[in-house]
Amino acid sequence: MSTTRTMKLITGILEAILAIPFLGALIILSNSWMPLIIMLVLHIITLALAVRVKGPLAGSVVGIVASCLGWIPFVGWMLHAAAAIVLLIEVYSRRLQRR
């Protein structure tokens, strides 16, 4: 598995955890929003890796938006869910597996 796919898988799983309605909010609020900053950094790293191999960028971009707007109730939940779905689709897409 390539580094890009591994990072997309890790960030996708973490986004899926943050998208769990009460658990995600509890994780974010109990850690003073630090998980959003950590996820932002991970998404930027993943985006840089995807750019380097000319892979799909949508998941990382949605993840960056989710990290920036994740503090807004319900909007953050929807964005985390969308980021998780897009990232995990990108991990298992044929286009990325060839790289």
Side-chain angles (χ1 to χ4, degrees):
M1 184 177 284
S2 71
T3 306
T4 305
R5 284 184 64 211
T6 303
M7 285 298 293
K8 284 183 182 277
L9 182 62
I10 290 168
T11 55
I13 290 170
L14 291 173
E15 286 289 353
I17 291 169
L18 292 176
I20 298 172
F22 295 104
L23 179 62
L26 181 66
I27 291 169
I28 291 170
L29 293 175
S30 67
N31 291 299
S32 302
W33 290 279
M34 189 56 70
L36 295 178
I37 295 169
I38 293 168
M39 289 304 296
L40 177 63
V41 171
L42 289 175
H43 285 303
I44 291 170
I45 292 168
T46 306
L47 180 66
L49 291 171
V51 166
R52 189 181 69 180
V53 298
K54 297 182 176 121
L57 308 176
S60 297
V61 172
V62 174
I64 290 169
V65 172
S67 296
C68 291
L69 299 177
W71 58 273
I72 302 170
F74 301 108
V75 172
W77 168 72
M78 289 186 292
L79 287 171
H80 286 302
I85 291 167
V86 175
L87 282 162
L88 294 174
I89 287 172
E90 286 179 359
V91 167
Y92 295 107
S93 72
R94 286 186 173 272
R95 181 176 163 200
L96 188 58
Q97 287 179 0
R98 287 190 218 129
R99 299 196 185 270

